Amino acid sequence: MSTSAVPSVLFVCVHNAGRSQMGAAFLTHLAGDRVQVRSAGSAPADAVNAAVVEAMAEVGIDISAETPKVLTVEAVQSSDVVITMGCGDACPYFPGKRYLDWKLADPAGQGVAAVRPIRDEIEQRIRGLLTELGIETAA
């Protein structure tokens, strides 16, 4: 674990425009300041997927101001848990880190109806992660 009092979780996907944004938003929403949350992409898009923004708004989480960020070695090194969501070999690996590879459908190019089940699966996985970390949900 990091030297901080709270665990640090990094969500990584290729474009940082869908899955990783939803993961970070749910973790922030459910854990508040009890977890440090980051997200990044190996090849970030120009903007967050509009269908993802809409699907998250449906559950009361506004990610419209978020922007895709580039994955850095420093972000991985400073995280306790790295959750990959389809970034393949582009994710740096450091011994001693906890890695979780969540196989999820890619919302890129999908409408909001196709994004909803991905969103719901991510929420359930986040709730499970919080249980594993021993952190009660805020919402």
Side-chain angles (χ1 to χ4, degrees):
M1 295 293 257
S2 68
T3 56
S4 75
V6 298
S8 176
V9 178
L10 171 65
F11 294 91
V12 183
C13 67
V14 174
H15 300 297
N16 190 222
R19 295 166 288 189
S20 56
Q21 291 283 350
M22 288 189 282
F26 271 122
L27 186 54
T28 299
H29 179 73
L30 295 171
D33 60 2
R34 292 168 296 183
V35 177
Q36 183 181 34
V37 181
R38 296 181 188 90
S39 71
S42 53
D46 293 330
V48 175
N49 180 324
V52 167
V53 172
E54 183 179 342
M56 292 301 287
E58 289 176 353
V59 295
I61 301 174
D62 180 8
I63 63 169
S64 61
E66 294 298 324
T67 57
K69 294 166 270 319
V70 69
L71 176 64
T72 64
V73 169
E74 294 78 19
V76 177
Q77 287 176 320
S78 62
S79 298
D80 299 310
V81 180
V82 179
I83 299 174
T84 58
M85 303 166 136
C87 68
D89 295 334
C91 297
Y93 178 82
F94 294 96
K97 299 286 174 198
R98 179 176 178 202
Y99 287 86
L100 300 173
D101 186 27
W102 291 358
K103 305 276 191 233
L104 298 158
D106 188 347
Q110 304 289 330
V112 71
V115 172
R116 287 183 188 117
I118 302 166
R119 174 202 66 201
D120 295 345
E121 183 174 350
I122 290 171
E123 179 183 10
Q124 290 310 307
R125 289 180 186 220
I126 294 298
R127 290 181 181 277
L129 176 66
L130 285 169
T131 299
E132 288 175 28
L133 294 174
I135 297 171
E136 289 186 30
T137 60

